[in-house]
Amino acid sequence: MLFELLRWHYGEATQGDAFRLNNNFRSRYVRLLIERHPEWARLFETRALRAA
């Protein structure tokens, strides 16, 4: 849901920009959020990465 909110807010705030949030990187963004905000780790479920 967080990813969809980011898409919506970004779409409302910009016009004509080619930037897109790719679904293939959702797990990477979650891991980045957890790295930067360890207190949020309990809010997300992560699985082992298949590719490095």
Side-chain angles (χ1 to χ4, degrees), residues 5-52:
L5 283 172
L6 286 171
R7 282 188 174 140
W8 185 78
H9 282 290
Y10 188 81
E12 291 289 313
T14 61
Q15 292 184 4
D17 193 348
F19 176 78
R20 299 283 185 261
L21 290 171
N22 189 324
N23 283 339
N24 294 337
F25 298 110
R26 282 183 180 214
S27 68
R28 308 285 203 226
Y29 285 118
V30 166
R31 284 172 171 79
L32 181 61
L33 281 173
I34 291 171
E35 181 181 313
R36 292 184 180 181
H37 301 277
E39 68 274 15
W40 295 353
R42 64 181 180 80
L43 301 174
F44 299 99
E45 178 184 337
T46 58
R47 299 179 185 168
L49 293 173
R50 290 186 270 170

